[in-house]
Every structure is written in structure tokens, then in C-alpha cells.
Amino acid sequence: MSTPEFVLALREKVGHAPLWLPGVTGVVVRDANAPDPEVLMVRRADNGAWTPVTGIVDPGEHPADAVVREVAEETGVEAVPVRLARVGVTEPGVYPNGDQVQFIELTFRLEWRSGEPHPADGENTDARWCAVSRLPALGQDMRARIDAALADDERAAFFAGGELVR
């Protein structure tokens, strides 16, 4: 994944020390009222995993604007946020270069407006619509993000340690 400039600048000062960063996940839904709606999925270039679009919120950027920007940058799809679906905290992680990170993760449900998905910025090797009934294999956390976005509940779900804490 492409590292934002502000993170690179922080890394110059803190080295590999843990960083707490705001992250967003965009679950873009097309044909929401269809019997089997479609969700926008990308195949990540760094590990080959299928996920919804994810990204980092830039300093001063509203998270809803960040998720719209990330979807457009990564897939060429235009979408609008409908609601905040989930708030979670990822497990601490370490990148191959030794950088430590943990994310407060905000999952948004978005509605498709226009555009056909394609890997637009090099962060992904594929981008496509997938029927909810035929999603590719997903990790438990990514599946939980999608499920929260697709739920009929208008309230956001709050997760800590993999458990719903609402």
C-alpha cells in the first residue's frame, strides 16, 4: 500500500515506534434493494487479500470525505456515504520494515453513484462488484465490517477485542 506523506514525515521523527492512525473502510453497495445486492471489492497488491476499500485519513480530513476519496482513488468509482456502520480498533501490527501501527477503524456504508471499478492507483490488482451471496474468501474482521455495513440497523456497531461492545 502507498504510505501517505504525513506518515512518512512522522516516521522520520519516531522511527518504528507504534503509531495510532485513523483508518476508514468503504463498503460500497450497488443495487441495495435487489435480492442479492453487490459490494465493491478490491484485491490488495501487498497480500492478495480481497477486501472492501480501506485507507488512512489525512490530517484535518473528515473521515467521510476520506472514505469517498479512497474509493475514487483506488477504484475509479464515485460513491456517497450513507452512514457510519462500525467503529473498531485493529490489533497492533508490524510491517515488514519494522514499522508498528494500530488503527482506529471507521467502516462506512456508501451508495454507488457512477463508475465501473478498476485498479486505479496500483494499491490493488483487481476491483469488481461481488454479489453479497458470492463474496470471495474474507478474514473474519473484514467480513464483520461488511456485515455491519449491510445490517438494517441505523446505529453504528462498536467493537473492541473482536467483540461487540454496544
Side-chain angles (χ1 to χ4, degrees):
M1 286 187 118
S2 175
T3 304
E5 289 298 321
F6 84 93
V7 173
L8 296 175
L10 282 171
R11 286 290 178 206
E12 288 179 12
K13 295 178 183 351
V14 301
H16 299 299
L19 286 181
W20 173 252
L21 295 171
V24 290
T25 299
V27 179
V28 182
V29 181
R30 183 167 78 168
D31 298 328
N33 295 323
D36 196 10
E38 296 176 312
V39 173
L40 178 62
M41 300 293 291
V42 296
R43 180 171 277 219
R44 294 171 51 117
D46 60 350
N47 63 13
W50 282 98
T51 70
V53 173
T54 62
I56 296 174
V57 181
D58 288 337
E61 185 177 33
H62 191 286
D65 294 334
V67 75
V68 168
R69 173 184 53 77
E70 289 287 349
V71 167
E73 286 177 358
E74 292 188 22
T75 69
V77 166
E78 228 181 277
V80 295
V82 173
R83 69 181 178 92
L84 176 64
R86 181 179 189 261
V87 177
V89 175
T90 67
E91 294 295 321
V94 179
Y95 288 102
N97 68 355
D99 288 351
Q100 299 174 62
V101 68
Q102 189 169 14
F103 292 93
I104 180 168
E105 188 281 319
L106 306 169
T107 297
F108 288 86
R109 178 180 175 140
L110 293 94
E111 182 178 290
W112 173 78
R113 285 290 187 237
S114 66
E116 284 305 313
H118 61 280
D121 68 356
E123 291 188 40
N124 303 297
T125 60
D126 198 358
R128 65 175 67 160
W129 294 108
C130 295
V132 170
S133 67
R134 294 186 302 278
L135 291 173
L138 298 167
Q140 182 179 1
D141 182 57
M142 286 298 170
R143 183 62 208 216
R145 294 180 198 190
I146 292 171
D147 289 347
L150 295 175
D152 286 333
D153 194 344
E154 291 298 316
R155 300 171 300 165
F158 298 95
F159 281 80
E163 300 292 323
L164 182 66
V165 295
R166 158 174 17 166

